């Protein structure tokens, strides 16, 4: 009987993490940033049909980077989980924290037990009734959850993009300012991104029960020059 090759668990985990990070880095990045009236989600995405940013529930948005078919599966699972909880209990019981924990369990289970990890990073964002209630949960490929306060960066050159946001983020900024700074961060110093290169959506605190609103290309263009 041939004995199987032994590979240390630490090496297996490292290889899986490297594989996932490389897959995510090949994709285009996304920035979510709080502003005075809610949360702006800005993604570099020239496609008009494949969406990185979507509505999950009344005050909750989902965003993903990496392999589209994988994070879209997670989006669908989140919509179903939120709808079921809202139907069984109350719409007010559906919150970003519980969804983020569900996603963390799914991704952690796949990363630990499956041969190939998911090549995704996802964001669950919830806009509160007041600014202090805003929440940003960044979930990594291995199920790690990071609770961000002001802004978060997914995929791409996250270090450089995060550096720009750290320098230019301001509490209580206008929506146009938030979108413009997020776009500059995504573009970096050597490129310029226009409205047709972007996908932009907002969680607007004053938008009624359903807070999610997707900006048209014309509205994005106006925001970038305001």
């Amino acid at each position: 009987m041939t004995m199987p090759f032994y590979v240390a668990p630490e090496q297996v985990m490292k290889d899986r993490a490297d594989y996932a990070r490389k897959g995510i880095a090949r994709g285009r990045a996304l920035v979510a940033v709080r502003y005075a009236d809610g949360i702006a989600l800005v993604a570099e995405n020239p496609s008009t049909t494949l969406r990185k940013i979507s509505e999950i529930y009344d005050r909750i948005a989902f965003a993903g980077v990496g392999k589209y078919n994988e994070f879209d599966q997670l989006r669908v699972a989140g919509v179903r989980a939120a709808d079921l909880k809202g139907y069984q209990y109350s719409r007010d019981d559906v919150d970003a924290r519980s969804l983020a924990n569900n996603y963390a369990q799914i991704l952690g289970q796949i990363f630990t037990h499956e041969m190939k990890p998911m090549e995704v990073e996802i964001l669950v964002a919830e806009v509160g009734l007041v600014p202090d209630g805003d929440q940003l949960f960044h979930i990594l490929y291995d199920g790690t959850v990071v609770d961000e306060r002001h802004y978060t960066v997914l995929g791409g050159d996250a270090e450089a993009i995060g550096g720009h946001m750290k320098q230019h983020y301001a509490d209580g900024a206008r929506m146009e300012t938030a979108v413009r700074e997020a776009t500059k961060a995504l573009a970096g110093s050597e490129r310029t991104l226009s409205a047709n290169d972007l996908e932009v959506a907002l969680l607007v605190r004053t938008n009624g029960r359903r807070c999610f609103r997707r900006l048209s290309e014309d509205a994005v263009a106006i925001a970038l020059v305001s």
Side-chain angles (χ1 to χ4, degrees), residues 16-112:
R16 289 178 181 172
D18 290 343
Y19 178 87
R21 281 196 292 264
K22 286 177 183 177
I24 294 164
R26 284 194 291 267
R28 295 181 173 95
L30 177 150
V31 174
V33 57
R34 291 177 57 203
Y35 67 98
D37 293 324
I39 299 170
L41 300 99
V42 183
E44 185 180 352
N45 182 18
S47 173
T48 58
T49 54
L50 302 179
R51 299 298 191 185
K52 290 185 173 184
I53 305 167
S54 302
E55 182 183 28
I56 287 277
Y57 212 62
D58 294 347
R59 312 184 70 83
I60 303 172
F62 171 96
V65 297
K67 219 167 187 180
Y68 176 82
N69 67 316
E70 293 184 347
F71 69 69
D72 198 57
Q73 290 175 31
L74 294 171
R75 177 191 66 81
V76 172
V79 171
R80 289 174 176 165
D83 280 344
L84 182 61
K85 187 172 184 179
Y87 177 76
Q88 288 181 324
Y89 301 99
S90 163
R91 301 188 78 90
D92 294 335
D93 290 328
V94 181
D95 66 322
R97 181 179 287 105
S98 62
L99 281 170
N101 288 336
N102 287 343
Y103 280 134
Q105 291 174 19
I106 293 169
L107 287 169
Q109 182 77 7
I110 291 172
F111 182 80
T112 305

